[in-house]
Amino acid sequence: MMNLSTVIACGCRYRTPPINQLLNYTPFLHLHLHLQGRPPSFNNLNLPNFNLLPTGNCLFFRMERFWSGSGINKNKQMVEHLQRYGVISSMKVAEVMETIDRAIFVPDGTSAYVDSPMPIGYNATISAPHMHATCLQLLEENLQPGMHALDVGSGTGYLTACFAIMVGPQGRAVGVEHIPELVASSIKNIEKSAAATLLKEGSLSLHAGDGRQGWPECAPYDAIHVGAAAPEIPQPLIDQLKPGGRMVIPVGNMFQDLKVVDKNPDGSISIRSETSVRYVPLTSRDAQLRGY
Ligand code: SAH
């Protein structure tokens, strides 16, 4: 059962729906604000209570989970669910999420199509499908063929692969991830995916590094996605955004908002909050491996 006091205690009441509406959603909603302990590693995947996972999940009824996943065993059906629930309205985003099969990116033995983040080891997770869809949609105009996209905290490589398909062979999609083992496994994932050719031909690349510094070699970017929550927006990422470019970044510590940062043609910055979310921190590698 959902704990309503937690909803109120988290300070985002303005986002919560009427209580009767919340109660209708309780089968899918279990709100926990506590970080869980160290997620299991790949080698010892002892499946946790996914509702405790902090990363890549919106808060509250609209967000926590759109379906339980028991009947979802196909990538296309997952996308259709996201469309039915109104998360995906763009055909382009539906197409790319159909093209990049999520099952390739989740650890073996994990339910690929459940609407929940999943542990990928190293205290990291692959974000929930609805968060991937939300971010792709927010960035769609900045992921046109030929454009440059940066994915900070690329993890499994799922979104970087989606970006690469959208910007195409004339564009550039760059993933930066600070756990080298995750970079290596993301490359293996992408090699099995529909984005393999783009990786081979060089319009898609994945790098080990501190994503708070961005990736200056391929800047400026039309689109920047950050897959971990920053206490504040890193200046190098703002600097590497092209005028007319857009960044989507979770900002905050305990309470986080998904911010949409637009760099206007004159170089000024506009920022708005899209929704409340819960992501793992954008931090140092040591802090992450220590468990934050
Ligand atoms: N969006 C990815 C991963 C989300 S989890 C996916 O869905 O697969 C957030 C990722 O950010 C983790 O893989 C974590 O290792 C990475 N991360 C955290 N801080 C970072 C930093 N300073 N630089 C680069 N990557 C970072």
Side-chain angles (χ1 to χ4, degrees), residues 120-147:
I120 58 172
Y122 310 96
N123 291 326
T125 58
I126 180 170
S127 299
H130 71 267
M131 280 314 304
H132 283 154
T134 298
C135 292
L136 284 168
Q137 237 170 232
L138 287 169
L139 290 169
E140 181 181 1
E141 294 303 313
N142 297 76
L143 293 168
Q144 303 292 327
M147 289 186 166

mmCIF file of all heavy atoms in Angstrom, residues 120-147:
data_model
loop_
_atom_site.group_PDB
_atom_site.id
_atom_site.type_symbol
_atom_site.label_atom_id
_atom_site.label_comp_id
_atom_site.label_asym_id
_atom_site.label_seq_id
_atom_site.Cartn_x
_atom_site.Cartn_y
_atom_site.Cartn_z
ATOM 1 N N ILE A 120 21.824 -2.369 -12.770
ATOM 2 C CA ILE A 120 22.798 -2.828 -13.769
ATOM 3 C C ILE A 120 24.186 -2.996 -13.140
ATOM 4 O O ILE A 120 25.174 -3.116 -13.839
ATOM 5 C CB ILE A 120 22.860 -1.851 -14.973
ATOM 6 C CG1 ILE A 120 23.218 -0.413 -14.522
ATOM 7 C CG2 ILE A 120 21.539 -1.851 -15.733
ATOM 8 C CD1 ILE A 120 23.473 0.557 -15.689
ATOM 9 N N GLY A 121 24.224 -3.007 -11.795
ATOM 10 C CA GLY A 121 25.500 -3.128 -11.091
ATOM 11 C C GLY A 121 26.114 -1.753 -10.843
ATOM 12 O O GLY A 121 25.641 -0.732 -11.361
ATOM 13 N N TYR A 122 27.137 -1.716 -9.994
ATOM 14 C CA TYR A 122 27.902 -0.486 -9.700
ATOM 15 C C TYR A 122 27.027 0.632 -9.137
ATOM 16 O O TYR A 122 27.251 1.813 -9.388
ATOM 17 C CB TYR A 122 28.640 0.002 -10.961
ATOM 18 C CG TYR A 122 29.427 -1.101 -11.618
ATOM 19 C CD1 TYR A 122 28.895 -1.821 -12.678
ATOM 20 C CD2 TYR A 122 30.683 -1.466 -11.128
ATOM 21 C CE1 TYR A 122 29.591 -2.870 -13.258
ATOM 22 C CE2 TYR A 122 31.391 -2.509 -11.705
ATOM 23 C CZ TYR A 122 30.832 -3.211 -12.762
ATOM 24 O OH TYR A 122 31.528 -4.245 -13.326
ATOM 25 N N ASN A 123 25.989 0.249 -8.423
ATOM 26 C CA ASN A 123 25.046 1.219 -7.853
ATOM 27 C C ASN A 123 24.377 2.080 -8.916
ATOM 28 O O ASN A 123 24.090 3.263 -8.680
ATOM 29 C CB ASN A 123 25.736 2.099 -6.806
ATOM 30 C CG ASN A 123 26.090 1.297 -5.579
ATOM 31 O OD1 ASN A 123 25.358 0.379 -5.206
ATOM 32 N ND2 ASN A 123 27.214 1.610 -4.955
ATOM 33 N N ALA A 124 24.173 1.506 -10.063
ATOM 34 C CA ALA A 124 23.511 2.225 -11.157
ATOM 35 C C ALA A 124 22.301 1.416 -11.626
ATOM 36 O O ALA A 124 22.158 0.239 -11.277
ATOM 37 C CB ALA A 124 24.481 2.431 -12.308
ATOM 38 N N THR A 125 21.453 2.049 -12.383
ATOM 39 C CA THR A 125 20.270 1.373 -12.931
ATOM 40 C C THR A 125 20.036 1.822 -14.365
ATOM 41 O O THR A 125 20.494 2.893 -14.766
ATOM 42 C CB THR A 125 18.994 1.731 -12.132
ATOM 43 O OG1 THR A 125 18.819 3.136 -12.166
ATOM 44 C CG2 THR A 125 19.054 1.255 -10.692
ATOM 45 N N ILE A 126 19.322 1.007 -15.105
ATOM 46 C CA ILE A 126 18.756 1.478 -16.370
ATOM 47 C C ILE A 126 17.434 2.153 -16.011
ATOM 48 O O ILE A 126 16.673 1.639 -15.192
ATOM 49 C CB ILE A 126 18.562 0.328 -17.396
ATOM 50 C CG1 ILE A 126 17.967 0.869 -18.704
ATOM 51 C CG2 ILE A 126 17.734 -0.820 -16.853
ATOM 52 C CD1 ILE A 126 17.968 -0.152 -19.870
ATOM 53 N N SER A 127 17.197 3.324 -16.577
ATOM 54 C CA SER A 127 15.995 4.078 -16.231
ATOM 55 C C SER A 127 14.745 3.352 -16.701
ATOM 56 O O SER A 127 14.788 2.509 -17.604
ATOM 57 C CB SER A 127 16.047 5.468 -16.864
ATOM 58 O OG SER A 127 17.154 6.178 -16.379
ATOM 59 N N ALA A 128 13.618 3.729 -16.094
ATOM 60 C CA ALA A 128 12.329 3.134 -16.460
ATOM 61 C C ALA A 128 11.959 3.533 -17.891
ATOM 62 O O ALA A 128 12.289 4.640 -18.331
ATOM 63 C CB ALA A 128 11.254 3.603 -15.492
ATOM 64 N N PRO A 129 11.235 2.659 -18.597
ATOM 65 C CA PRO A 129 10.823 2.999 -19.968
ATOM 66 C C PRO A 129 10.107 4.344 -20.069
ATOM 67 O O PRO A 129 10.340 5.100 -21.010
ATOM 68 C CB PRO A 129 9.888 1.842 -20.351
ATOM 69 C CG PRO A 129 10.350 0.693 -19.521
ATOM 70 C CD PRO A 129 10.846 1.282 -18.233
ATOM 71 N N HIS A 130 9.255 4.664 -19.094
ATOM 72 C CA HIS A 130 8.530 5.935 -19.231
ATOM 73 C C HIS A 130 9.456 7.135 -19.099
ATOM 74 O O HIS A 130 9.196 8.196 -19.672
ATOM 75 C CB HIS A 130 7.353 6.030 -18.238
ATOM 76 C CG HIS A 130 7.736 6.198 -16.812
ATOM 77 N ND1 HIS A 130 7.888 5.148 -15.942
ATOM 78 C CD2 HIS A 130 8.005 7.310 -16.093
ATOM 79 C CE1 HIS A 130 8.217 5.613 -14.745
ATOM 80 N NE2 HIS A 130 8.293 6.918 -14.806
ATOM 81 N N MET A 131 10.589 6.968 -18.361
ATOM 82 C CA MET A 131 11.544 8.085 -18.283
ATOM 83 C C MET A 131 12.334 8.204 -19.572
ATOM 84 O O MET A 131 12.601 9.313 -20.044
ATOM 85 C CB MET A 131 12.503 7.889 -17.101
ATOM 86 C CG MET A 131 11.948 8.283 -15.762
ATOM 87 S SD MET A 131 11.079 9.869 -15.687
ATOM 88 C CE MET A 131 12.284 11.023 -16.298
ATOM 89 N N HIS A 132 12.723 7.064 -20.150
ATOM 90 C CA HIS A 132 13.398 7.127 -21.453
ATOM 91 C C HIS A 132 12.491 7.818 -22.472
ATOM 92 O O HIS A 132 12.928 8.693 -23.223
ATOM 93 C CB HIS A 132 13.743 5.708 -21.937
ATOM 94 C CG HIS A 132 14.945 5.113 -21.250
ATOM 95 N ND1 HIS A 132 15.121 3.752 -21.116
ATOM 96 C CD2 HIS A 132 16.042 5.681 -20.685
ATOM 97 C CE1 HIS A 132 16.274 3.524 -20.503
ATOM 98 N NE2 HIS A 132 16.845 4.664 -20.221
ATOM 99 N N ALA A 133 11.219 7.404 -22.475
ATOM 100 C CA ALA A 133 10.270 7.976 -23.443
ATOM 101 C C ALA A 133 10.103 9.481 -23.205
ATOM 102 O O ALA A 133 10.109 10.277 -24.151
ATOM 103 C CB ALA A 133 8.926 7.265 -23.330
ATOM 104 N N THR A 134 9.967 9.863 -21.940
ATOM 105 C CA THR A 134 9.777 11.275 -21.608
ATOM 106 C C THR A 134 10.964 12.107 -22.083
ATOM 107 O O THR A 134 10.800 13.169 -22.690
ATOM 108 C CB THR A 134 9.606 11.422 -20.072
ATOM 109 O OG1 THR A 134 8.439 10.699 -19.682
ATOM 110 C CG2 THR A 134 9.479 12.868 -19.644
ATOM 111 N N CYS A 135 12.157 11.613 -21.819
ATOM 112 C CA CYS A 135 13.357 12.382 -22.200
ATOM 113 C C CYS A 135 13.504 12.448 -23.716
ATOM 114 O O CYS A 135 13.847 13.497 -24.273
ATOM 115 C CB CYS A 135 14.603 11.787 -21.541
ATOM 116 S SG CYS A 135 14.583 12.023 -19.740
ATOM 117 N N LEU A 136 13.223 11.330 -24.393
ATOM 118 C CA LEU A 136 13.302 11.354 -25.859
ATOM 119 C C LEU A 136 12.313 12.366 -26.418
ATOM 120 O O LEU A 136 12.621 13.103 -27.360
ATOM 121 C CB LEU A 136 12.996 9.959 -26.432
ATOM 122 C CG LEU A 136 14.123 8.934 -26.311
ATOM 123 C CD1 LEU A 136 13.611 7.529 -26.638
ATOM 124 C CD2 LEU A 136 15.290 9.304 -27.237
ATOM 125 N N GLN A 137 11.154 12.410 -25.814
ATOM 126 C CA GLN A 137 10.146 13.324 -26.342
ATOM 127 C C GLN A 137 10.515 14.775 -26.094
ATOM 128 O O GLN A 137 10.330 15.628 -26.950
ATOM 129 C CB GLN A 137 8.781 12.990 -25.761
ATOM 130 C CG GLN A 137 7.855 12.724 -26.904
ATOM 131 C CD GLN A 137 6.547 12.147 -26.507
ATOM 132 O OE1 GLN A 137 6.187 11.139 -27.076
ATOM 133 N NE2 GLN A 137 5.857 12.761 -25.608
ATOM 134 N N LEU A 138 11.059 15.042 -24.907
ATOM 135 C CA LEU A 138 11.466 16.423 -24.606
ATOM 136 C C LEU A 138 12.590 16.884 -25.545
ATOM 137 O O LEU A 138 12.733 18.076 -25.805
ATOM 138 C CB LEU A 138 11.938 16.515 -23.152
ATOM 139 C CG LEU A 138 10.833 16.436 -22.099
ATOM 140 C CD1 LEU A 138 11.436 16.263 -20.705
ATOM 141 C CD2 LEU A 138 9.963 17.705 -22.139
ATOM 142 N N LEU A 139 13.385 15.922 -26.019
ATOM 143 C CA LEU A 139 14.542 16.279 -26.841
ATOM 144 C C LEU A 139 14.298 16.095 -28.334
ATOM 145 O O LEU A 139 15.182 16.391 -29.153
ATOM 146 C CB LEU A 139 15.762 15.433 -26.413
ATOM 147 C CG LEU A 139 16.343 15.768 -25.034
ATOM 148 C CD1 LEU A 139 17.351 14.709 -24.597
ATOM 149 C CD2 LEU A 139 17.013 17.148 -25.066
ATOM 150 N N GLU A 140 13.121 15.638 -28.704
ATOM 151 C CA GLU A 140 12.885 15.221 -30.089
ATOM 152 C C GLU A 140 13.300 16.274 -31.127
ATOM 153 O O GLU A 140 13.971 15.956 -32.113
ATOM 154 C CB GLU A 140 11.400 14.874 -30.268
ATOM 155 C CG GLU A 140 11.099 14.408 -31.670
ATOM 156 C CD GLU A 140 9.622 14.075 -31.872
ATOM 157 O OE1 GLU A 140 8.832 14.221 -30.919
ATOM 158 O OE2 GLU A 140 9.288 13.680 -32.995
ATOM 159 N N GLU A 141 12.917 17.526 -30.883
ATOM 160 C CA GLU A 141 13.227 18.589 -31.871
ATOM 161 C C GLU A 141 14.731 18.793 -32.012
ATOM 162 O O GLU A 141 15.194 19.353 -33.000
ATOM 163 C CB GLU A 141 12.590 19.922 -31.436
ATOM 164 C CG GLU A 141 11.064 19.915 -31.451
ATOM 165 C CD GLU A 141 10.521 19.556 -32.839
ATOM 166 O OE1 GLU A 141 11.008 20.139 -33.819
ATOM 167 O OE2 GLU A 141 9.648 18.672 -32.922
ATOM 168 N N ASN A 142 15.482 18.380 -31.002
ATOM 169 C CA ASN A 142 16.937 18.572 -31.010
ATOM 170 C C ASN A 142 17.674 17.282 -31.346
ATOM 171 O O ASN A 142 18.878 17.176 -31.125
ATOM 172 C CB ASN A 142 17.394 19.125 -29.655
ATOM 173 C CG ASN A 142 16.799 20.489 -29.407
ATOM 174 O OD1 ASN A 142 15.620 20.601 -29.086
ATOM 175 N ND2 ASN A 142 17.578 21.529 -29.591
ATOM 176 N N LEU A 143 16.917 16.328 -31.862
ATOM 177 C CA LEU A 143 17.510 15.053 -32.286
ATOM 178 C C LEU A 143 17.171 14.794 -33.758
ATOM 179 O O LEU A 143 16.920 13.665 -34.168
ATOM 180 C CB LEU A 143 16.989 13.905 -31.404
ATOM 181 C CG LEU A 143 17.428 13.942 -29.930
ATOM 182 C CD1 LEU A 143 16.621 12.951 -29.085
ATOM 183 C CD2 LEU A 143 18.927 13.644 -29.796
ATOM 184 N N GLN A 144 17.153 15.869 -34.533
ATOM 185 C CA GLN A 144 16.867 15.741 -35.967
ATOM 186 C C GLN A 144 18.110 15.189 -36.674
ATOM 187 O O GLN A 144 19.234 15.335 -36.165
ATOM 188 C CB GLN A 144 16.513 17.105 -36.558
ATOM 189 C CG GLN A 144 15.340 17.806 -35.879
ATOM 190 C CD GLN A 144 14.022 17.095 -36.120
ATOM 191 O OE1 GLN A 144 13.813 16.503 -37.171
ATOM 192 N NE2 GLN A 144 13.156 17.114 -35.124
ATOM 193 N N PRO A 145 17.909 14.589 -37.856
ATOM 194 C CA PRO A 145 19.068 14.066 -38.596
ATOM 195 C C PRO A 145 20.172 15.122 -38.753
ATOM 196 O O PRO A 145 19.896 16.282 -39.055
ATOM 197 C CB PRO A 145 18.461 13.692 -39.958
ATOM 198 C CG PRO A 145 17.027 13.369 -39.641
ATOM 199 C CD PRO A 145 16.634 14.317 -38.543
ATOM 200 N N GLY A 146 21.383 14.699 -38.487
ATOM 201 C CA GLY A 146 22.543 15.584 -38.631
ATOM 202 C C GLY A 146 22.923 16.324 -37.350
ATOM 203 O O GLY A 146 23.992 16.940 -37.292
ATOM 204 N N MET A 147 22.086 16.253 -36.341
ATOM 205 C CA MET A 147 22.377 17.006 -35.103
ATOM 206 C C MET A 147 23.339 16.245 -34.181
ATOM 207 O O MET A 147 23.587 15.057 -34.371
ATOM 208 C CB MET A 147 21.074 17.316 -34.363
ATOM 209 C CG MET A 147 20.241 18.364 -35.096
ATOM 210 S SD MET A 147 18.793 18.838 -34.135
ATOM 211 C CE MET A 147 18.292 20.318 -35.021
#
